[in-house]
Amino acid sequence: MRVPVATRVAFAVATVAAGTLMLGGCSQSPAERLEEWYSSGGEAQIRKLNEDAGRVNEVSMRTIDVQGPACQDLLAQTTKAEKLDPIPDEAAQRYWKEALGGFRRGAGECADGAAKKEEAQVARGITAVQTEGLPKLVNTVSMIKAGLAAAK
């Protein structure tokens, strides 16, 4: 049995329309998307980055054999954070990328310097973590908190 072309076209149009309605009905507000990002791994990732960067800051006046592993941990955590979906808030995402870049540069330089026993390179790396990464992470958290507060 052949189905008339008009019936097939009507069915196709109805199917597309239903799919569009289903997708449209599931749209989230920017605040809801931010909340979802934050609660589905964002918060934990921020917390871990803050802990690892704080540890690098904490060991800044210690010896290379303590500084190197702290920088390696931060570098590994930065790699994990870079794999997260982008933050669904443009300003927060910009600060997030800058924070991750600062952590990557600083922790990378520190870890490399520790492997070569180059104290000056380790110190430059730690300084980058402190001045490029941590302040931008603070800005990221501020932007996220403001976005989440606006949703309430």
Side-chain angles (χ1 to χ4, degrees):
M1 177 174 145
R2 283 193 60 102
V3 178
V5 173
T7 304
R8 288 191 303 229
V9 170
F11 178 74
V13 169
T15 302
V16 170
T20 303
L21 286 174
M22 288 173 62
L23 290 175
C26 293
S27 69
Q28 296 175 307
S29 71
E32 289 170 329
R33 288 192 304 272
L34 182 59
E35 172 61 38
E36 184 176 312
W37 181 89
Y38 192 69
S39 64
S40 65
E43 177 184 24
Q45 197 63 62
I46 289 170
R47 190 178 315 279
K48 185 65 176 136
L49 273 172
N50 190 49
E51 288 171 8
D52 287 354
R55 186 167 147 238
V56 168
N57 186 50
E58 194 176 290
V59 301
S60 65
M61 300 305 287
R62 309 257 322 257
T63 58
I64 286 179
D65 62 316
V66 176
Q67 295 166 334
C71 290
Q72 289 170 343
D73 289 347
L74 177 57
L75 193 55
Q77 196 60 43
T78 300
T79 298
K80 289 179 186 176
E82 290 170 333
K83 294 177 183 174
L84 280 179
D85 287 339
I87 300 173
D89 177 286
E90 191 176 311
Q93 177 63 24
R94 187 174 54 251
Y95 284 123
W96 177 246
K97 281 187 72 170
E98 290 173 5
L100 294 178
F103 289 147
R104 174 156 298 289
R105 282 187 299 282
E109 185 166 9
C110 171
D112 185 56
K116 295 188 282 188
K117 306 285 188 215
E118 293 283 338
E119 289 183 18
Q121 185 177 355
V122 171
R124 281 193 310 271
I126 289 172
T127 299
V129 168
Q130 295 168 330
T131 61
E132 297 174 32
L134 279 168
K136 297 298 181 179
L137 186 62
V138 169
N139 292 342
T140 302
V141 171
S142 294
M143 297 303 294
I144 290 171
K145 286 185 177 185
L148 294 175
K152 295 178 181 180

